[in-house]
Amino acid sequence: MPTTADKPIYRVLGPLEVTGASGEECRIPRGRQQVVLGALLLEANRVVSTESLIDAIWGEEPPVTARTQVQTCISALRTSLAVIGEGARLVTREPGYVLEVSGDRLDAALFSRYRKEAHDAAQAGRLQEAAALTRRAADLWRGPALSGSRSDKLQSMAAQLDEYRLINLETYADMGLRLGRHVQIVPELSSLVAAYPLRETLRGRLMLALYRSGRQAEALEVFREGRTILVEQLGIEPGDQLRELESAILAGDPDLRLPGTEQDVASVAEASVRAPAAASEAALPPTRPGRSTPFQLPLDNADFTGRTQIVEAAQELLLGGGDGRPTPVAVLSGPSGVGKSTIAVHLGHRLVRDFPDGQLYCDLAGTEPSSATALDALGRFLRALGIPGAQIPGPIDERAEMYRSLLAGKRMLIVLDNASATQQVRLLLPGHGTSSVIVTGQSGITGLPGARFLYVDVCSRQEAIDMLAAVIGPARVAAEPEVAADLVRMVGRLPLALRIVAARLAARPNWSLMWMRDRLSDERHRLDELSHGELAIRSSIALTYDGLTGTGRRLLRLLSLEDCGSLPTWVAAALLDTDLFHAGDLLESLVDAQMLEVDSTALPSEPHYRLHSLVRLFAREERERHAADDGAEDALTRLVGGWLALADEAHRRLYGGDFTILHGDAPRWHLPEAQVDQLLRDPLAWLETERANLCHVVDLAAETGRAEACWDLAVTLVTMFESRCYFDDWQRTHERALAAASEAGLLRGRAAVMLSMSSLYLTRSQLTPARGALEPAQEAFEALGDTLGLALVRRNLAMLSQRQGDEPSALVLHRQAVADFQAVGDHVGQTNTLAHLARLALDQGRLDDAEELLDQAMDICRRTRNTRMEGQVRFVMSDLMQRRERYPEAEQLLRGVLDQVRSRGDIAGESRILHRLGSVNARLGRSAEAQRLLREVVAIRARTMDRVGAAAVRLELAQLEADHSGLSADIGFEPQGRTPLRH
């Protein structure tokens, strides 16, 4: 229990309570006043904005009188706190309020203090004292933090405090184990394990305490109970540490005995205070190295200078995640051009060693018309964390839950750049306080749990001069120090404007700084507005723009036609209708003038460029003024046609021709063959790299009345969407293309998009929408006499009928589709449909018919040298071999297909093939190899959060392990005949 000295006035480690120094209770009415006080206490001695308080009380739907009501609550709180002499400590300070609380008056602050003192005592070897202080910290708790609060925001912040309570209790258990108190800590650990059955770190400590107490059987039973809970509730096995601890107990590992020195305990305590994630692992065996760590940060600015104060403030905040507070969130706000993104990226690189589990980065493009949504960013982050597209949920809440689960206990830095609104960011915050977040944006970001706002202003005078010297060289600045100071003053110390001016000087070493100053002085009206945000940026950009060649200016204007992030070199060639090398030289001239940025994430062999958002706005304004001279409409047609031509060619190289796809008659713009070969060395990788651009061009074509190109490109991109499981992009682009084709009255285009959408619906097992898309598509193709369109429709209708159990209809439709494909010479469609017919024959037990169909399909593949389709046919053949108990042949087929899917990075396909290989090896009597393969499948599915699939394979593995002498007749290996076949 707390000592007599532990009498804080404010208590949040349990229900909210306020008690005077003499013990008199200060009653705070439930509802809004308790929410406001709770929010102020969780951010004690820091300013809490009025917007943040509004968000804590009402969430997303505040009343119009919200600000007035908050002011009323503050006034009432001051009156209540005045009874115990605390009223004057609630102070108004822009942009909100601060509650000034000394360290011993708030239980959460005492909790952090005792943990720090425990750490210091352990470092000094005073283990008994460290354990007492850790216990004292634990005894401050009276229940879950702020229990009873109905505020979602406060509950989120309180949940992180609860996590630190458990980490503190685990640290206390570690100290008890090292001090030989294993018998005494068993009851408390047993209660904690019962309350938190999924927390493996607590379970491991209980197992160790029981083992050291001579209760080995009970320790193993604790493991078995935990494993049962994890498998039944989550479909996953215990982690490496818990499994290795079980093995050590079974083996009587001497390392589990009580250590002989206190130095070991000091190191445990040090780890627990420094990094909560480390504290969770201190008593357990070390884990094996995991998958590669994501590092998504852009390149750091090589000439970054100054900004010491804000960088150090942000660093202190971001490294403060272990002191019992919520997830640290540093929000860098300020006007355009002050360098918020540059500072954020620099901080990320500076702190790389402090976040060993990786850095995630997303440009939310908040100032752009098509800004990224939280749904998009979550999809990007989940992929970076190892989840393949097929396993990423569609609903945003499910994505957020998976994201928080993957980050739990990890030490990661998340950088959310160019955010414009709270809803863009809220779901991207981790649920665990061991990670930290940097958010940049101009305005509109309020109400984030644990956020601290750091205003980024213009540079100081010295910082601006240092920046100028870093770009043009210190010698030139030293030669004209007063003029350098004038230049800094004249551009308002705004980093973006200063960098542009410095770039002009760097590109022209013969210019003096005085000459540059005189040029700026000639534009007094623009300089008058230099300190007024966007107008200052426009003036600075105009100075550089005026110095470009006529072709350079035209290219900059035309580049603003494409409103996406990263542009390849050939885009400039298409816009100007020139060759690639001339376009590349022009782009580099824009880079030299600081009007364009090189995309540091692109491959050196395929340079990409970025327009800064403000430069793009400027270029767009100039384009509107020069519309008659630039030929923008023709340039736009070439741009869209260039993307369409490359997407066409990527599909042709993957499939061996224009097979299983419908095209329109929109104009194409073609690059020379040698340059196409270089771009499309790996067609699927190119589609993946340019995915954002390609999806954007679908929108661009729709917006500019190019409906024919819009639907054509959308259906061509299914080659990538299907292979890499980009189902959200598939749906989004097709909805846009369907609307464009419908509005333009393009009957064939509308039918082609609906056909393609039916494939998406079949992939998602949405059978009713699939039929709803296929039937009108069939009517349209019949009216048009389009044999290829009818072949594709009938193939999909056949698959739909087969899934709905109508095998006779499926058989008829497949045969019609084969004939149609053969009539138009589409051997890929013919082969694919023959494989589906073979699958149907296998399901019906007609093995000879299936073999004949597969032989026909294989013959086509060999004649046309289509290895992609051959792999799909071989996969079906392996099923036939199994049914005929020709297991060595099935294994040989599967091994060959496995190499193919691994080379493509198809994780889901790899899982399916390994699963079937496990079945084949089991039937060949290779129990050990079968178990190894199935464990690999479990690992893949657990890593990709396919819990149902992982649980099913675990059952098979358990059956196999239980029968060491042979296989039972009813072993639950994968059902025959239902393995999906990509089409």
Side-chain angles (χ1 to χ4, degrees):
M1 297 295 294
T3 69
T4 55
D6 296 334
K7 292 184 178 179
I9 291 176
Y10 301 101
R11 297 182 180 182
V12 296
L13 304 182
L16 179 63
E17 290 184 3
V18 183
T19 307
S22 303
E24 67 274 25
E25 183 178 1
C26 176
R27 293 188 177 275
I28 306 297
R30 295 180 64 85
R32 291 193 294 269
Q33 287 192 44
Q34 284 202 6
V35 171
V36 170
L37 182 58
L40 291 168
L41 288 172
L42 289 178
E43 296 285 351
N45 301 311
R46 301 193 213 179
V47 176
V48 180
S49 68
T50 302
E51 287 77 12
S52 182
L53 294 175
I54 290 171
D55 185 63
I57 299 171
W58 291 286
E60 298 293 336
E61 298 181 354
V64 294
T65 59
R67 283 184 170 273
T68 302
Q69 292 190 48
V70 168
Q71 292 171 356
T72 302
C73 287
I74 293 293
S75 178
L77 279 175
R78 283 178 175 142
T79 300
S80 299
L81 295 176
V83 175
I84 58 172
E86 292 287 311
R89 297 183 182 274
L90 180 48
V91 180
T92 300
R93 189 174 300 161
E94 288 297 327
Y97 307 90
V98 60
L99 183 58
E100 298 173 345
V101 182
S102 59
D104 60 347
R105 291 173 176 259
L106 176 62
D107 56 0
L110 278 173
F111 174 71
S112 296
R113 191 184 96 194
Y114 292 157
R115 289 187 66 219
K116 176 65 168 60
E117 291 174 356
H119 161 66
D120 293 340
Q123 285 280 46
R126 304 191 305 272
L127 187 57
Q128 298 278 0
E129 179 184 345
L133 285 164
T134 305
R135 181 76 257 174
R136 193 171 177 184
D139 288 341
L140 288 167
W141 288 78
R142 297 165 292 111
L146 288 178
S147 54
S149 172
R150 297 181 180 178
S151 167
D152 291 341
K153 179 177 179 179
L154 291 194
Q155 286 178 354
S156 173
M157 299 171 75
Q160 297 184 59
L161 281 174
D162 293 335
E163 173 67 17
Y164 287 112
R165 176 201 176 206
L166 290 175
I167 291 172
N168 184 68
L169 289 170
E170 288 171 346
T171 302
Y172 180 73
D174 291 340
M175 292 178 177
L177 287 167
R178 297 298 185 184
L179 286 168
R181 299 174 184 171
H182 34 266
V183 175
Q184 294 93 322
I185 66 175
V186 164
E188 184 173 29
L189 281 174
S190 298
S191 299
L192 288 169
V193 168
Y196 303 95
L198 299 179
R199 195 173 181 92
E200 294 184 38
T201 47
L202 283 171
R203 191 172 295 275
R205 285 160 173 80
L206 177 57
M207 290 168 61
L208 187 57
L210 288 168
Y211 176 78
R212 289 186 180 173
S213 301
R215 299 158 69 177
Q216 178 180 354
E218 292 176 70
L220 294 172
E221 181 59 25
V222 169
F223 173 83
R224 284 191 287 271
E225 289 175 356
R227 182 182 182 277
T228 299
I229 292 170
L230 289 169
V231 170
E232 291 181 352
Q233 294 189 18
L234 302 179
I236 62 173
E237 289 286 338
D240 290 344
Q241 290 180 330
L242 212 58
R243 293 200 306 271
E244 290 170 5
L245 180 58
E246 180 212 22
S247 299
I249 291 174
L250 287 169
D253 191 332
D255 287 345
L256 298 182
R257 298 170 187 166
L258 182 65
T261 68
E262 293 193 356
Q263 184 178 4
D264 295 329
V265 187
S267 64
V268 169
E270 178 184 3
S272 70
V273 175
R274 184 181 67 251
S280 300
E281 303 167 0
L284 305 179
T287 59
R288 300 181 182 92
R291 65 183 301 279
S292 60
T293 301
F295 188 88
Q296 297 185 318
L297 290 174
L299 192 67
D300 196 8
N301 194 329
D303 55 13
F304 185 93
T305 57
R307 303 301 197 162
T308 303
Q309 185 175 353
I310 197 163
V311 167
E312 289 180 353
Q315 179 171 321
E316 181 182 359
L317 171 65
L318 295 168
L319 296 181
D323 64 352
R325 294 187 178 276
T327 299
V329 181
V331 181
L332 305 181
S333 62
S336 299
V338 294
K340 302 181 293 294
S341 299
T342 301
I343 294 172
V345 171
H346 178 72
L347 272 167
H349 285 275
R350 179 177 173 133
L351 301 178
V352 64
R353 296 189 180 207
D354 297 288
F355 296 93
D357 293 316
Q359 293 82 25
L360 298 174
Y361 173 89
C362 185
D363 184 354
L364 297 172
T367 60
E368 302 292 327
S370 55
S371 59
T373 64
L375 184 76
D376 298 327
L378 285 168
R380 170 190 169 95
F381 285 169
L382 290 173
R383 287 178 187 276
L385 294 168
I387 305 300
Q391 300 300 326
I392 295 176
I396 190 168
D397 290 340
E398 293 180 23
R399 288 190 182 187
E401 290 169 5
M402 180 181 286
Y403 170 72
R404 290 193 296 268
S405 297
L406 290 170
L407 261 60
K410 292 186 177 179
R411 188 99 173 123
M412 299 191 75
L413 180 67
I414 298 93
V415 180
L416 306 174
D417 202 7
N418 291 320
S420 62
T422 304
Q423 57 266 30
Q424 262 189 315
V425 174
R426 187 185 301 278
L427 291 178
L428 304 179
L429 300 183
H432 196 280
T434 55
S435 293
S436 297
V437 182
I438 304 175
V439 181
T440 73
Q442 294 185 39
S443 61
I445 308 170
T446 59
L448 294 177
R452 181 180 172 189
F453 289 81
L454 301 174
Y455 184 78
V456 184
D457 205 344
V458 295
C459 298
S460 69
R461 178 178 177 276
Q462 189 58 51
E463 285 176 335
I465 291 175
D466 291 343
M467 181 187 296
L468 184 64
V471 177
I472 69 172
R476 292 177 71 182
V477 171
E480 300 179 83
E482 293 182 1
V483 180
D486 287 343
L487 282 173
V488 165
R489 175 184 56 79
M490 295 170 77
V491 300
R493 293 181 284 119
L494 199 64
L496 179 58
L498 181 64
R499 189 167 292 278
I500 293 171
V501 171
R504 295 194 71 194
L505 286 168
R508 296 166 177 80
N510 57 308
W511 279 18
S512 67
L513 273 63
M514 182 178 293
W515 175 251
M516 188 72 242
R517 183 185 65 180
D518 292 343
R519 291 180 64 87
L520 291 174
S521 298
D522 289 340
E523 299 174 334
R524 284 187 294 270
H525 294 296
R526 284 186 264 176
L527 292 174
D528 288 341
E529 300 179 1
L530 195 58
S531 61
H532 292 82
E534 181 184 338
L535 291 177
I537 301 292
R538 182 183 292 113
S539 300
S540 297
I541 294 174
L543 286 173
T544 304
Y545 173 80
D546 291 341
L548 299 174
T549 64
T551 307
R553 290 196 297 269
R554 179 176 177 236
L555 175 57
L556 186 68
R557 296 193 296 266
L558 291 177
L559 285 173
S560 69
L561 285 168
E562 186 160 6
D563 202 14
C564 54
S566 183
L567 302 170
T569 304
W570 70 262
V571 164
L575 290 170
L576 296 176
D577 199 18
T578 187
D579 66 82
L580 195 64
F581 300 107
H582 181 222
D585 290 342
L586 286 169
L587 288 169
E588 288 298 323
S589 72
L590 294 180
V591 171
D592 292 341
Q594 296 293 311
M595 300 296 279
L596 204 61
E597 302 170 3
V598 176
D599 184 355
S600 59
T601 63
L603 295 174
S605 59
E606 299 175 12
H608 280 57
Y609 302 87
R610 292 181 181 274
L611 269 177
H612 187 281
S613 59
L614 295 174
V615 176
R616 181 184 291 114
L617 289 175
F618 174 88
R620 190 178 300 154
E621 293 175 355
E622 290 297 308
R623 191 186 76 230
E624 291 171 358
R625 283 197 283 269
H626 295 83
D629 304 324
D630 282 347
E633 283 299 309
D634 290 341
L636 188 55
T637 297
R638 291 191 299 271
L639 174 67
V640 174
W643 284 111
L644 188 52
L646 285 170
D648 288 348
E649 184 60 23
H651 177 91
R652 279 192 287 271
R653 295 185 183 212
L654 287 167
Y655 284 88
D658 285 319
F659 301 120
T660 65
I661 193 166
L662 297 166
H663 284 306
D665 57 6
R668 269 71 167 167
W669 186 85
H670 295 280
L671 279 164
E673 185 176 351
Q675 291 160 357
V676 173
D677 289 340
Q678 183 177 355
L679 287 173
L680 301 182
R681 288 187 303 274
D682 184 339
L684 195 57
W686 179 83
L687 287 166
E688 171 90 14
T689 299
E690 301 292 0
R691 178 173 64 93
N693 282 330
L694 289 161
C695 292
H696 166 73
V697 173
V698 172
D699 292 331
L700 180 64
E703 291 166 1
T704 58
R706 291 166 173 80
E708 187 80 10
C710 176
W711 75 258
D712 197 339
L713 182 58
V715 299
T716 303
L717 294 182
V718 173
T719 304
M720 169 185 56
F721 296 154
E722 188 177 30
S723 296
R724 297 295 171 90
C725 303
Y726 286 118
F727 301 137
D728 292 344
D729 289 342
W730 191 345
Q731 180 165 344
R732 191 160 46 230
T733 55
H734 279 53
E735 287 174 350
R736 189 66 184 269
L738 183 61
S742 299
E743 185 177 350
L746 302 178
L747 180 62
R748 187 168 182 271
R750 177 179 168 82
V753 175
M754 287 192 292
L755 166 64
S756 185
M757 291 184 78
S758 75
S759 296
L760 173 61
Y761 294 140
L762 287 170
T763 301
R764 287 176 161 174
S765 297
Q766 297 170 331
L767 304 187
T768 300
R771 188 170 294 280
L774 283 168
E775 289 176 348
Q778 183 178 22
E779 293 176 5
F781 288 132
E782 287 174 347
L784 293 167
D786 191 322
T787 304
L788 178 57
L790 283 171
L792 293 165
V793 165
R794 285 167 178 157
R795 181 198 63 179
N796 283 14
L797 281 170
M799 290 189 289
L800 176 61
S801 297
Q802 190 171 352
R803 291 197 192 185
Q804 292 177 330
D806 186 359
E807 292 184 345
S809 295
L811 185 62
V812 171
L813 287 163
H814 272 315
R815 286 172 175 168
Q816 289 177 334
V818 168
D820 289 337
F821 282 127
Q822 188 172 10
V824 297
D826 192 327
H827 60 75
V828 170
Q830 184 181 357
T831 304
N832 177 263
T833 310
L834 286 170
H836 281 294
L837 273 169
R839 170 65 66 196
L840 181 59
L842 288 172
D843 290 345
Q844 294 174 339
R846 298 183 287 108
L847 303 190
D848 290 342
D849 291 345
E851 183 173 14
E852 182 180 348
L853 290 163
L854 289 171
D855 285 344
Q856 293 178 38
M858 187 61 72
D859 181 61
I860 296 172
C861 290
R862 286 168 178 162
R863 281 191 288 106
T864 58
R865 298 180 181 178
N866 193 319
T867 56
R868 183 186 181 91
M869 288 306 304
E870 185 175 341
Q872 295 183 15
V873 175
R874 286 181 180 277
F875 186 74
V876 183
M877 275 187 170
S878 73
D879 192 359
L880 174 63
M881 295 300 102
Q882 278 189 277
R883 292 171 190 264
R884 287 185 164 165
E885 299 184 0
R886 291 158 61 177
Y887 300 119
E889 295 171 66
E891 181 182 28
Q892 184 178 3
L893 288 166
L894 289 167
R895 293 287 182 189
V897 180
L898 181 62
D899 292 338
Q900 281 190 9
V901 299
R902 280 178 168 166
S903 68
R904 295 198 302 264
D906 184 351
I907 298 175
E910 180 183 359
S911 172
R912 289 196 298 271
I913 295 168
L914 289 172
H915 192 184
R916 186 168 290 179
L917 275 171
S919 173
V920 169
N921 275 271
R923 288 175 169 84
L924 285 169
R926 303 173 189 158
S927 179
E929 176 65 7
Q931 291 180 48
R932 184 191 69 78
L933 289 164
L934 292 180
R935 287 194 185 97
E936 196 170 347
V937 176
V938 170
I940 291 174
R941 294 185 180 179
R943 188 172 73 244
T944 59
M945 297 189 119
D946 180 6
R947 294 168 179 168
V948 175
V953 180
R954 285 193 188 97
L955 289 176
E956 298 170 17
L957 187 58
Q959 287 177 292
L960 188 58
E961 291 172 340
D963 191 353
H964 295 286
S965 60
L967 295 169
S968 61
D970 60 348
I971 192 165
F973 284 109
E974 61 168 328
Q976 304 289 338
R978 292 297 178 189
T979 302
L981 178 66
R982 195 178 301 280
H983 55 276

